[in-house]
Amino acid sequence: MFYVHKSVMATILLLIVVVSPAFSATTMLEDINVRADRQVPTEESLTIREVMESPARDLGEALESIPGLNSVNKGAIANDIVLRGLQGDDINVFLDGVRLYGGCPSRMDPPSFHFDFAEVEQIKVIKGPYDLENPGSMGGMVNAITKQPQPGPAANLSLTLGSFSLLDSSATASMASETGDLLGGYAYKSSHSPMDGDGKRQLEVYAPGTPHSYIIDLDSDAYKIHTAWIKGGYNFQSNVRSELGYSYQDAENVLYPYLFMDAEYDRTHRVNWTLKADKLDAAVDAVDFQLYWNQVEHLMHDKFRTSSTNPMVAVNNKTYSMQTDSSTSVYGAKAKGDWLIGSGKLTTGIDYYYRNWDATNEALFGTYVPQPMLPDIDVNNFGAFAEYSQPLAHSFKLKGGTRIDYTIAEANALTQARLDSLYVTNVSGSNLKNKNDFTNASGNIQLAWQVIPELELFSGIGLGTRTPDPQELYIGLNRGSMGPSWLGNPNLGSTLNRQIDFGAKITGENFFLNASAFYSALQDYITLTEDIVVSTGNSAKTYQNVDATLWGGELSSQLALPMDFYLRGSLAYVRGENKDKNQPLAETPPLNGSVSVRWDNDSYFAEVTERFAAGQDRVDSDLQEQTTAGWAVTDVKAGANWENWSLAAGVNNIFNIYYFTHLSYQRDPFASGVKVPEVGAFAYATLSYNF
């Protein structure tokens, strides 16, 4: 059945390319024009309008509509972003350029978890090492951009209701004048655990009575999240503006069935200040300054699982068999200037960020002795960058630049005695230290050629780097007889990505096609491994540098048809190889894509979408990674816009297909090893009012 679906979709995608010149529609969807006019093959964008038409609960789920982006499903919410097979610290995720980190060592709360859609107007994505303004964008960058107040008073009220008691509500209000503006909002969302295509809750992936099965009511909330924010701006002059914003988020009892534990709370504070001056003189196009701070407090445990009912738990006067209390904080600064030099523009800047990450674990590994799981780790990063763009002749545009970073990482609470007794005896290596420094250089050259008005070609060569993150360097969890320990590797080196990209963008009066291909050679790529130290016989899950390759590409197209119909299609493929072991790279998504037909006359719309993925049999056998079967599901939605009101409603997976995405399974010490099925038939409706 899946292969029939796949053949039909491939035929439709081919028809998009072949027959598009034959149609001449007069009405175009706004995003066709945006993608045709502003984007290059390595860049994508997603507007909040597109998000509001979907039942996406978080950024990771919403970005799956962009070719080349996937997500890791851990439960009802908090999907982690995967870009061309890279995830975690291999890519950067920002909000208004602010660097965010989660508190959980198992990435329960990825950076995109810590803000609400109601704050956001647009999400921009850069694929590949072409972001020089921020350290660590080795594989790409995702930046969510918050809403700006419109002139005069304005407000937005939004309510989404859906299956499994889904509730997503928000209210935003603003006031703006020539002098200044103020914007504030509040959002609340909650849901029960979703059901899969077999009619079971995601919480039921474990057999009753087994250690990780749930002992709570299966109709309990899978999450409850409150978010509030306020932002004010002042215009000193028509070309000089300053903004100051603050946000607080409180997430309660977030359930993660694919992990051993769940989060009791995540409490997040965010502060961001910017100052921008435009058109200061003939040579200075813009000057920007930014200061920011954010903090996350995270507590996770197994109180909701059968494992917490072990008789020894009560003997030790505890309510859990394992618990981790962690916190992380970041503050940073950036100064940037745009200088007009000849017919081109030079962008230069300096930046700095400080990150602290600390986590203490208690578990029934014989006794409840607290362990410095993340031993009060400090990271200081100092960076500088320069980038120049220059039109060449009439149809060429050249852009290139470089960046250098110096990073110091230090585990303040990691003693030499613990290094010698735990890390050295469980991780291959010697002369381990609790402090490391790294110097990394990156850069790229990009060339765009407007061959004819309807055809633009793109090529890019990039060198991207990223330092090992604090967890990869210094995490330490001695699990005793309960299984392999989980240890960082202080001898890790920085990852270097040498990447080449090619792309083409074809546009017409009623048509847009974006095609791209890439090849990445990853030197010292950081991957998880289970290692046995020959001298001791001890086993530990740890991290190692390997050489790897990733290659693939994306195709997306939109076509305006007669009578207000529109056809869309996308395909994405990535193939990863661990060159050191001559085997597939772990956690690589398979071929996937979508085809949709939409009718839209600006007042009303209806759409049918087929989403699909091929099976993935290229797995890392050393990590016991499992193969995944292919699947195809159908989504339908419709909506209307009446003056200040808008309504969107639909059903995802309307045929209630039971399936798994390949990235629903992860191997870290707190992962259960059980695949989490995707959501079955899911109905939703969103009503919004703007004034």
Side-chain angles (χ1 to χ4, degrees):
M1 182 69 176
F2 167 69
Y3 294 101
V4 173
H5 278 286
K6 188 166 68 171
S7 298
V8 171
M9 292 168 203
T11 302
I12 293 175
L13 283 171
L14 182 61
L15 286 173
I16 293 176
V17 179
V18 173
V19 308
S20 59
F23 296 99
S24 180
T26 57
T27 303
M28 299 286 291
L29 285 176
E30 179 184 343
D31 56 358
I32 294 181
N33 292 322
V34 170
R35 285 167 169 78
D37 294 340
R38 303 177 190 175
Q39 292 182 192
V40 298
T42 55
E43 296 183 8
E44 293 273 4
S45 66
L46 189 68
T47 65
I48 197 63
R49 175 188 62 80
E50 296 171 276
V51 174
M52 294 302 292
E53 286 185 8
S54 77
R57 304 163 191 247
D58 54 37
L59 187 63
E61 191 174 355
L63 287 175
E64 290 179 353
S65 63
I66 294 179
L69 280 91
N70 305 91
S71 68
V72 178
N73 171 20
K74 298 185 288 291
I77 202 168
N79 296 275
D80 207 355
I81 299 168
V82 179
L83 197 166
R84 288 178 165 177
L86 297 173
Q87 58 181 294
D89 276 20
D90 290 333
I91 60 176
N92 272 330
V93 179
F94 300 125
L95 179 67
D96 286 336
V98 171
R99 181 173 294 272
L100 299 170
Y101 290 106
C104 177
S106 295
R107 290 186 73 87
M108 281 184 179
D109 59 325
S112 57
F113 178 76
H114 294 291
F115 54 86
D116 195 272
F117 277 141
E119 300 178 70
V120 176
E121 182 62 35
Q122 185 181 19
I123 302 107
K124 292 188 175 182
V125 178
I126 295 178
K127 301 175 182 178
Y130 300 106
D131 168 36
L132 293 176
E133 294 189 8
N134 301 284
S137 297
M138 183 203 79
M141 184 270 287
V142 177
N143 185 30
I145 301 169
T146 58
K147 295 177 178 177
Q148 288 294 326
Q150 301 301 311
N156 171 267
L157 302 174
S158 180
L159 175 65
T160 299
L161 300 175
S163 301
F164 322 122
S165 300
L166 173 73
L167 170 63
D168 193 342
S169 59
S170 65
T172 305
S174 65
M175 173 67 74
S177 67
E178 292 184 0
T179 304
D181 48 70
L182 185 67
L183 181 149
Y186 168 77
Y188 173 76
K189 59 177 62 175
S190 64
S191 174
H192 292 173
S193 176
M195 288 184 179
D196 59 35
D198 276 356
K200 293 183 178 181
R201 300 281 187 187
Q202 286 183 335
L203 301 185
E204 297 180 87
V205 294
Y206 309 100
T210 54
H212 309 304
S213 61
Y214 282 86
I215 57 176
I216 59 173
D217 185 346
L218 295 178
D219 286 329
S220 300
D221 284 325
Y223 60 85
K224 294 188 290 185
I225 304 173
H226 304 261
T227 310
W229 63 94
I230 188 169
K231 178 171 67 173
Y234 183 75
N235 302 317
F236 295 95
Q237 299 177 24
S238 60
N239 65 332
V240 181
R241 174 176 173 80
S242 179
E243 285 187 4
L244 178 63
Y246 169 75
S247 174
Y248 175 71
Q249 183 184 81
D250 186 4
E252 305 172 10
N253 294 337
V254 187
L255 306 181
Y256 298 98
Y258 107 139
L259 298 172
F260 287 166
M261 297 192 283
D262 307 285
E264 181 168 320
Y265 61 75
D266 286 278
R267 295 166 183 161
T268 307
H269 299 268
R270 290 189 282 107
V271 177
N272 185 31
W273 173 80
T274 60
L275 175 65
K276 183 172 183 177
D278 294 320
K279 311 297 182 184
L280 294 182
D281 58 38
V284 184
D285 190 50
V287 175
D288 296 80
F289 300 95
Q290 182 177 34
L291 298 173
Y292 60 86
W293 168 82
N294 54 79
Q295 176 181 285
V296 177
E297 298 288 340
H298 173 84
L299 179 66
M300 61 180 181
H301 51 60
D302 68 341
K303 293 180 183 178
F304 308 138
R305 312 289 187 104
T306 302
S307 54
S308 67
T309 63
N310 185 316
M312 293 304 296
V313 171
V315 169
N316 285 273
N317 295 316
K318 301 288 187 179
T319 58
Y320 52 84
S321 72
M322 51 185 165
Q323 173 177 288
T324 299
D325 189 358
S326 66
S327 64
T328 186
S329 60
V330 183
Y331 58 77
K334 178 183 289 187
K336 184 180 74 169
D338 294 330
W339 320 92
L340 300 177
I341 300 176
S343 58
K345 181 170 71 173
L346 174 67
T347 300
T348 62
I350 57 173
D351 52 57
Y352 165 77
Y353 79 83
Y354 163 83
R355 177 189 184 187
N356 177 266
W357 200 4
D358 188 48
T360 300
N361 174 269
E362 287 185 285
L364 189 58
F365 301 151
T367 62
Y368 279 93
V369 177
Q371 293 191 61
M373 186 175 183
L374 292 168
D376 188 22
I377 306 166
D378 288 337
V379 175
N380 287 274
N381 189 97
F382 306 85
F385 60 90
E387 189 172 42
Y388 185 69
S389 60
Q390 170 72 54
L392 298 177
H394 176 69
S395 56
F396 290 89
K397 184 177 181 180
L398 182 66
K399 184 178 181 180
T402 187
R403 177 179 180 90
I404 188 166
D405 289 285
Y406 177 65
T407 309
I408 304 171
E410 182 174 10
N412 300 297
L414 180 55
T415 64
Q416 191 63 47
R418 184 171 172 84
L419 268 172
D420 294 339
S421 63
L422 180 61
Y423 291 68
V424 171
T425 57
N426 287 276
V427 179
S428 297
S430 59
N431 300 318
L432 301 182
K433 300 178 181 178
N434 71 339
K435 183 177 182 179
N436 288 272
D437 65 320
F438 307 87
T439 301
N440 294 322
S442 54
N444 63 71
I445 298 176
Q446 305 170 62
L447 179 65
W449 177 25
Q450 194 74 47
V451 183
I452 56 177
E454 297 80 15
L455 174 63
E456 181 180 4
L457 300 180
F458 169 87
S459 63
I461 299 175
L463 180 69
T465 62
R466 70 103 164 167
T467 60
D469 72 22
Q471 174 175 309
E472 293 163 342
L473 286 170
Y474 301 122
I475 194 168
L477 183 65
N478 185 355
R479 302 185 69 207
S481 62
M482 300 296 291
S485 297
W486 187 13
L487 297 170
N489 181 355
N491 283 337
L492 288 174
S494 297
T495 301
L496 178 65
N497 177 20
R498 299 182 179 94
Q499 182 166 318
I500 184 168
D501 288 82
F502 296 99
K505 182 173 67 175
I506 304 172
T507 60
E509 182 181 352
N510 59 353
F511 174 73
F512 168 68
L513 182 143
N514 197 350
S516 60
F518 73 94
Y519 178 86
S520 290
L522 298 164
Q523 178 182 319
D524 288 334
Y525 177 69
I526 300 171
T527 184
L528 185 70
T529 183
E530 185 167 339
D531 200 14
I532 297 177
V533 180
V534 176
S535 60
T536 64
N538 292 336
S539 175
K541 289 193 175 181
T542 183
Y543 301 90
Q544 65 178 355
N545 289 122
V546 300
D547 288 341
T549 59
L550 285 167
W551 63 268
E554 299 90 33
L555 173 69
S556 62
S557 182
Q558 301 183 63
L559 169 66
L561 299 172
M563 297 184 294
D564 299 321
F565 280 92
Y566 302 90
L567 186 62
R568 299 176 178 177
S570 69
L571 279 173
Y573 178 73
V574 60
R575 183 183 179 97
E577 189 78 18
N578 184 329
K579 305 299 287 186
D580 284 13
K581 294 185 177 181
N582 194 29
Q583 64 184 31
L585 204 59
E587 296 179 322
T588 302
L591 173 73
N592 61 91
S594 67
V595 176
S596 65
V597 178
R598 180 183 179 101
W599 174 79
D600 191 325
N601 69 356
D602 294 332
S603 296
Y604 300 92
F605 75 88
E607 182 171 314
V608 179
T609 301
E610 191 80 359
R611 296 180 287 118
F612 62 92
Q616 179 61 287
D617 58 6
R618 290 181 48 78
V619 296
D620 186 339
S621 57
D622 289 353
L623 289 175
Q624 301 178 358
E625 187 177 22
Q626 302 172 14
T627 61
T628 306
W631 53 268
V633 299
T634 305
D635 305 333
V636 297
K637 64 181 177 181
N641 298 292
W642 309 291
E643 296 181 349
N644 297 335
W645 293 89
S646 64
L647 173 67
V651 181
N652 275 16
N653 192 3
I654 192 169
F655 298 116
N656 202 32
I657 302 297
Y658 180 76
Y659 71 105
F660 300 88
T661 60
H662 183 62
L663 298 175
S664 65
Y665 172 74
Q666 186 185 34
R667 298 147 312 283
D668 67 36
F670 288 158
S672 65
V674 174
K675 281 181 174 285
V676 178
E678 295 299 308
V679 180
F682 180 86
Y684 65 94
T686 299
L687 181 65
S688 298
Y689 179 66
N690 294 277
F691 66 88

